Amino acid sequence: MTTPTDTTCTIKPADDNRPKHERIRTGLSKHALQKAFNDNLFYIQGRFREVATRNDLYMAAAFTVRDRLLERWLKSARTFKEHNSRTVAYLSAEFLIGPQLANNMLNLGITDTARAAGDELNLDFDELIETEEEPGLGNGGLGRLAACFMDSLATLQIPTIGYGIRYEFGIFDQMIVDGWQVEKGDTWLRNGNPWEIPRPKIVFPVGFGGRVEQYRDDHGEMRRRWVPDLVVNGVAYDTPIMGYGVGNVNLLRLWKSEAPESFDFQAFNVGNYYGAVHAKIEAETISKVLYPNDEPGVGKELRLKQQFFFVSCSLQDMIRLQLGIAGSLDQFHEKFAIQLNDTHPSLAIAELMRLLMDEYRMPWEQAWHITQQSCHFTNHTLLPEALETWPIDLFERLLPRHLEIIYGINQRFLDEVRIHFFADETRVRCMSLIDEDGGRRLRMAHLAAVGSCAINGVAELHSNLLKTTVMRDFNDLWPERFHNITNGVTPRRFMVVANPRLTRLITKTIGHDRWIRELETLRALEDYADDAALQEVWRDIKTANKRDLSNWLGQQTGCLADPESLFDVQAKRIHEYKRQHLNILHIISLYQRLKNDPHADITPRTFIFGGKAAPGYFLAKLMIKLINAVGEVINHDPQVNGHLRVLFMPDFSVKNGQRLYPAADLSEQISLAGKEASGTGNMKFSMNGALTIGTLDGANVEIREEVGADNFFLFGMTAEEVQQRQAAGYDPRALYNGDIEIKSIIDLIHSGLFSHGDTELFQPLTDNLIYHDPFMVLADFRAYVDCQKTVDQAFRNPASWNRMAILNVARIGKFSSDRAIKEYCERIWNIAPAPIPL
Ligand SMILES: *Cc1c(COP(=O)(O)O)cnc(C)c1O
């Protein structure tokens, strides 16, 4: 754990020796919280209550909670240092941690006391929580997974540092204007961030460009060293991550890029003032903005710089810590278990080699042993377009020494391949770290695989497909390196914080609240699944949650939803493979049925969509427009709007997700089988008692296994059938011409009904479906619509629907991120808890 170098961190709080209940500064009593709140409002915000803004009140509350984390954090740091505890270093370009105030109060166990304290001070507690702006430092599932893992690591008392980038602008804010997505810059830091602590003394230089030199060291040995032509500094910003109900506090350390001070000064002396300013801007650009794509774009130089920047800072920090404790790096791999969250941090392999060899003079073999034993790699995707590669010439220009090292790794690796697959040059070409076809490129997934001692996929199906598709050769070579760790999500945020009504009911029903840390104990709910009284309360809670959401959506969109209708929700990034368009086609089919037969027997539904599209993803943005366009027509058609509503929730985020999951009746998990690695939204919905309509994809497979096939609405082709059908030559035109319903729906879109007569607006989408349909929407359409009819019937029987919902929650325990982290600890990291007493 970190050894704070500045003295403020090692000073004991002045009143440390007094009995706990008297320790006003960090006490947990109502009185202590009130006093601290008033002090913080006055001394930090500089406000009297009479003139305090909403933000002032929020900041005072946040600092009050933060002070209580800090005390525990320092105790954790001291203990981990004394025991030289093995530590997880979770490297991720994204951490989508969500709002912190409510979660930290829960983990400290002060939610009720704080509410009471606030009530007495005449504070609107819920408004304070609502005021917080979340750090949107991620795109979606991958970044949120890192955040759920941080929560579980702290709760399970595993010493951990999460390393990433402190983007000044996170994921854009999404607005919907005239049905289109409009992106607005995310200025999340403008009011200050009370959860982070800048560590100006924890700063590391990071080089770029330049050349490699040969030189003779003082022992007369020939060595190589990198002479970069640009150096920027990475400054640490720390956010404490508290475990639930434990004394452990871990660290999320994010790096901000800055120009070294000497920079401007030198330029100033030689009179190049504007040059100095330019250099400063260039350095600060590195951590300026998160790339808003959930897959890599075309070799963007700045993105490569970001990746190297945070990886280099993080490794230098780990080395500093290990040298401070052990005095040598020989046991580095016993101190740190480095987890690479996708390939974004895979440069860690080359940079750790460089640091050990060039800076600490280790021989290649030892450096390689340490590097490989330290690193572990999680793969998140099978989509070929999402596998990262970098053009060699760009890479060489920015990181010449690293390219040399990668060539060295590759040469040794390919020799191993040649021997293992005796004289099989096809394998050599396919497995090489360098793709030689059409412009040489560096394959980051291969680098990560070669440099790691464990490689894992994120759901059973995905891990199996990995072994037979993108990583097949590697699995043939090193089968023992491959693992599956099915993803999970934290029940603290996604049940307890998001859904207090359900939380109270569960605790009351099963008679304890241990389920919050032992989610498998929810099985006890199975005994009550048939209990009519419970079913009724269960439904009342769902309806109350739906009413809350409906009120909020009403304010946001101006459109109301009937809480008695079936809330059918699809919330996730907008992407063709996730098939929001399949959902829309179904909605249009219902609309058509109602128009043709106003008495058609259709269960009233509210369709709710949420999700951002990458700004450059034309078809995804057009899908958003189509959803809104269909909504505009249906919501204003008095003939059907008593039955159907279509709402688009703008700006889907962790915070907005927490409004959505508790209010869903039906969770749409309808990706083309074989495309969604795991999904985690599926787990959040199910934890809140939504039933899933889904394909056999990602973790859906395991969710269905757990909750029972009878309690899951399954449809569509299997991954195997998808492969067969594609191999046989898939022809969507035949489906368009052969199924009159498909044809009529697509023709209806094409007719201009949803676009004020414009017949061209949606043509890129309809043409794509008819002529290409790469995600086989039309092939699964019939099965989907039929399955939705089963859903319609099921919802009309509240008793059996609620029974299914209760069983979903009772059997969802496997999908706690606590389970996932325990598996990483045992199978991948070989690490044990280091409890900090409360
Ligand atoms: C959980 C979550 C996701 C992931 O959703 P999937 O359905 O698994 O794609 C994306 N964005 C946010 C804000 C989330 O909380």
Side-chain angles (χ1 to χ4, degrees):
M1 203 57 200
T2 170
T3 338
T5 48
D6 35 352
T7 49
T8 50
C9 301
T10 50
I11 292 175
K12 284 179 163 190
D15 46 7
D16 202 32
N17 295 325
R18 282 187 287 164
K20 195 156 190 166
H21 65 275
E22 281 182 34
R23 266 191 264 156
I24 298 300
R25 182 74 206 251
T26 53
L28 301 181
S29 70
K30 188 174 70 179
H31 178 68
L33 292 173
Q34 287 172 335
K35 167 119 177 48
F37 175 86
N38 287 328
D39 281 354
N40 286 331
L41 186 61
F42 186 79
Y43 291 110
I44 295 187
Q45 291 308 107
R47 293 279 196 195
F48 293 116
R49 185 63 196 277
E50 294 69 37
V51 294
T53 64
R54 240 177 101 148
N55 186 60
D56 291 326
L57 300 175
Y58 160 72
M59 292 293 268
F63 282 118
T64 301
V65 172
R66 190 185 87 169
D67 285 344
R68 281 144 187 81
L69 296 184
L70 288 185
E71 190 191 10
R72 289 160 177 78
W73 178 10
L74 296 182
K75 193 166 168 192
S76 298
R78 204 181 304 136
T79 311
F80 298 158
K81 189 185 176 196
E82 277 164 17
H83 298 162
N84 191 12
S85 312
R86 182 161 163 81
T87 299
V88 173
Y90 197 87
L91 266 60
S92 179
E94 303 186 5
F95 285 92
L96 195 53
I97 60 176
Q100 296 295 291
L101 179 57
N103 210 250
N104 281 331
M105 288 194 294
L106 169 69
N107 286 2
L108 277 167
I110 61 169
T111 308
D112 293 341
T113 319
R115 186 180 284 277
D119 285 351
E120 283 185 15
L121 294 177
N122 245 331
L123 290 165
D124 184 333
F125 191 74
D126 295 317
E127 188 187 273
L128 282 186
I129 289 172
E130 192 59 36
T131 303
E132 181 170 356
E133 184 161 6
E134 76 177 73
L137 308 186
N139 274 289
L142 175 141
R144 184 54 231 176
L145 184 76
C148 283
F149 282 2
M150 289 301 289
D151 181 274
S152 286
L153 281 156
T155 300
L156 294 170
Q157 308 185 299
I158 306 296
T160 302
I161 309 177
Y163 282 114
I165 301 173
R166 180 181 177 275
Y167 300 105
E168 187 177 331
F169 301 100
I171 187 70
F172 60 84
D173 292 338
Q174 179 194 53
M175 297 186 309
I176 302 297
V177 178
D178 191 27
W180 295 97
Q181 166 173 298
V182 172
E183 301 96 21
K184 195 170 135 285
D186 163 47
T187 52
W188 70 288
L189 288 166
R190 73 183 169 279
N191 296 324
N193 171 11
W195 303 106
E196 70 183 8
I197 296 159
R199 300 277 188 214
K201 292 286 167 57
I202 301 182
V203 54
F204 298 102
V206 178
F208 294 97
R211 60 186 196 283
V212 181
E213 282 181 355
Q214 184 117 292
Y215 72 105
R216 200 174 287 281
D217 70 12
D218 21 347
H219 303 283
E221 273 184 61
M222 290 307 290
R223 304 199 149 271
R224 295 181 74 71
R225 73 178 157 215
W226 177 26
V227 187
D229 61 14
L230 170 71
V231 175
V232 306
N233 278 344
V235 180
Y237 283 70
D238 291 348
T239 302
I241 305 287
M242 165 138 210
Y244 171 75
V246 294
N248 290 59
V249 177
N250 282 329
L251 176 57
L252 175 60
R253 176 160 284 172
L254 303 179
W255 302 101
K256 174 179 193 276
S257 65
E258 288 183 356
E261 279 162 45
S262 58
F263 226 101
D264 334 22
F265 191 66
Q266 278 166 9
F268 184 71
N269 277 342
V270 298
N272 185 6
Y273 181 74
Y274 289 102
V277 171
H278 179 75
K280 189 165 166 59
I281 288 172
E282 194 163 293
E284 284 171 359
T285 301
I286 292 178
S287 61
K288 190 65 77 178
V289 60
L290 167 77
Y291 277 95
N293 308 305
D294 38 7
E295 57 190 53
V298 275
K300 285 278 193 298
E301 177 170 334
L302 180 58
R303 191 171 159 92
L304 182 58
K305 280 184 170 173
Q306 289 185 336
Q307 295 183 353
F308 179 66
F309 165 74
F310 96 89
V311 157
S312 178
C313 292
S314 309
L315 289 168
Q316 292 183 68
D317 194 42
M318 286 179 244
I319 286 174
R320 171 187 67 96
L321 292 167
Q322 175 65 352
L323 286 177
I325 295 169
S328 132
L329 297 177
D330 293 354
Q331 268 74 51
F332 181 88
H333 55 296
E334 285 164 27
K335 171 70 179 177
F336 286 110
I338 299 175
Q339 190 66 35
L340 308 174
N341 194 23
D342 210 316
T343 54
H344 317 144
S346 57
L347 277 170
I349 288 154
E351 173 68 348
L352 185 53
M353 285 295 283
R354 186 192 69 84
L355 289 164
L356 294 177
M357 292 192 305
D358 295 3
E359 310 275 331
Y360 295 93
R361 304 191 171 191
M362 227 178 243
W364 179 286
E365 285 68 27
Q366 189 190 3
W368 184 244
H369 177 75
I370 290 174
T371 299
Q372 222 189 19
Q373 291 307 303
S374 301
C375 293
H376 315 81
F377 166 49
T378 304
N379 171 289
H380 284 272
T381 181
L382 300 164
L383 299 180
E385 66 270 27
L387 289 171
E388 258 191 324
T389 62
W390 292 104
I392 292 287
D393 46 359
L394 165 65
F395 193 92
E396 183 166 29
R397 189 157 52 72
L398 279 184
L399 301 167
R401 177 61 181 138
H402 297 81
L403 187 62
E404 280 187 1
I405 290 171
I406 287 168
Y407 283 149
I409 296 171
N410 201 32
Q411 194 172 52
R412 290 165 173 86
F413 165 60
L414 292 182
D415 283 345
E416 189 180 337
V417 172
R418 283 193 184 91
I419 304 293
H420 186 97
F421 302 107
F422 190 67
D424 182 347
E425 283 301 313
T426 311
R427 294 263 199 179
V428 171
R429 216 170 341 100
C430 292
M431 296 178 79
S432 172
L433 304 192
I434 315 291
D435 181 352
E436 307 276 356
D437 295 339
R440 304 177 71 223
R441 301 180 73 90
L442 176 57
R443 295 163 164 157
M444 302 309 273
H446 292 203
L447 175 62
V450 172
S452 299
C453 59
I455 302 164
N456 76 283
V458 290
E460 290 285 353
L461 174 68
H462 168 242
S463 297
N464 289 331
L465 287 171
L466 254 190
K467 292 197 267 188
T468 55
T469 61
V470 288
M471 296 255 113
R472 197 188 76 201
D473 296 323
F474 290 87
N475 183 59
D476 290 347
L477 182 59
W478 300 312
E480 71 286 352
R481 282 197 203 177
F482 282 79
H483 302 264
N484 171 62
I485 311 276
T486 300
N487 282 166
V489 301
T490 172
R492 269 75 64 183
R493 178 175 295 273
F494 291 109
M495 296 181 77
V496 182
V497 172
N499 199 343
R501 293 186 180 103
L502 187 66
T503 298
R504 280 191 294 271
L505 178 65
I506 292 172
T507 299
K508 189 169 152 229
T509 305
I510 65 178
H512 65 78
D513 63 4
R514 275 182 296 115
W515 61 272
I516 298 170
R517 56 165 75 260
E518 296 165 23
L519 207 62
E520 292 280 3
T521 63
L522 286 178
R523 290 263 173 203
L525 275 174
E526 279 190 24
D527 296 346
Y528 304 87
D530 291 301
D531 181 328
L534 183 77
Q535 288 172 358
E536 217 159 288
V537 190
W538 192 275
R539 187 180 184 80
D540 290 345
I541 284 174
K542 184 59 85 178
T543 306
N545 290 341
K546 287 159 78 175
R547 188 163 286 116
D548 284 353
L549 175 66
S550 173
N551 289 339
W552 186 85
L553 278 172
Q555 285 168 8
Q556 299 295 308
T557 67
C559 191
L560 291 173
D562 176 6
E564 296 299 325
S565 66
L566 190 168
F567 275 27
D568 176 332
V569 185
Q570 186 171 20
K572 50 185 72 240
R573 287 301 286 246
I574 311 290
H575 207 296
E576 289 167 275
Y577 87 78
K578 293 175 182 281
R579 302 202 292 192
Q580 279 90 358
H581 38 359
L582 178 56
N583 191 340
I584 307 173
L585 295 188
H586 169 242
I587 297 171
I588 298 175
S589 83
L590 293 180
Y591 182 43
Q592 237 177 2
R593 269 170 60 198
L594 275 173
K595 290 303 276 185
N596 292 336
D597 171 12
H599 303 292
D601 191 20
I602 286 172
T603 302
R605 284 206 206 205
T606 301
F607 294 92
I608 302 170
F609 290 84
K612 294 175 184 177
Y617 188 169
F618 172 71
L619 280 182
K621 289 178 124 175
L622 196 55
M623 285 208 262
I624 293 178
K625 174 66 179 172
L626 179 59
I627 294 165
N628 283 296
V630 169
E632 194 185 305
V633 169
I634 290 181
N635 300 344
H636 291 104
D637 184 340
Q639 217 183 348
V640 304
N641 66 12
H643 281 85
L644 302 178
R645 292 279 160 136
V646 183
L647 302 180
F648 193 96
M649 174 199 239
D651 205 40
F652 181 55
S653 60
V654 177
K655 187 176 177 179
N656 285 335
Q658 289 174 211
R659 310 177 204 277
L660 220 37
Y661 301 119
D665 293 307
L666 187 67
S667 158
E668 298 272 352
Q669 306 300 336
I670 60 178
S671 54
L672 177 63
K675 298 293 179 190
E676 185 78 89
S678 162
T680 48
N682 46 6
M683 302 166 188
K684 300 172 205 165
F685 280 107
S686 203
M687 277 182 187
N688 284 283
L691 303 186
T692 304
I693 182 165
T695 49
L696 279 180
D697 199 13
N700 293 355
V701 178
E702 292 157 74
I703 292 176
R704 179 167 172 268
E705 257 166 37
E706 290 289 308
V707 305
D710 294 344
N711 306 304
F712 187 107
F713 298 101
L714 178 73
F715 76 95
M717 294 178 286
T718 62
E720 214 175 2
E721 287 165 349
V722 167
Q723 272 173 8
Q724 285 163 2
R725 184 121 184 213
Q726 229 127 33
Y730 172 55
D731 178 16
R733 246 170 315 187
L735 286 165
Y736 170 76
N737 291 315
D739 184 322
I740 46 168
E741 193 172 14
I742 291 179
K743 184 166 191 310
S744 67
I745 292 166
I746 291 184
D747 290 352
L748 202 61
I749 298 173
H750 204 184
S751 74
L753 181 77
F754 304 113
S755 45
H756 306 282
D758 185 340
T759 56
E760 283 169 18
L761 180 62
F762 295 119
Q763 198 170 344
L765 257 176
T766 49
D767 277 359
N768 186 271
L769 286 180
I770 300 169
Y771 300 110
H772 307 289
D773 196 16
F775 299 98
M776 302 176 113
V777 171
L778 302 191
D780 271 343
F781 175 79
R782 183 54 47 208
Y784 180 58
V785 169
D786 288 346
C787 190
Q788 286 284 20
K789 287 182 186 156
T790 325
V791 172
D792 253 28
Q793 290 309 313
F795 194 69
R796 293 173 188 214
N797 183 343
S800 97
W801 183 279
N802 293 327
R803 178 178 179 280
M804 291 194 279
I806 294 168
L807 287 175
N808 262 262
V809 174
R811 297 169 177 174
I812 205 65
K814 173 176 173 185
F815 303 98
S816 167
S817 42
D818 297 346
R819 186 270 315 149
I821 288 300
K822 282 182 196 153
E823 291 182 0
Y824 277 99
C825 288
E826 284 166 20
R827 300 193 209 152
I828 311 253
W829 300 329
N830 188 27
I831 192 172
I836 307 296
L838 264 175

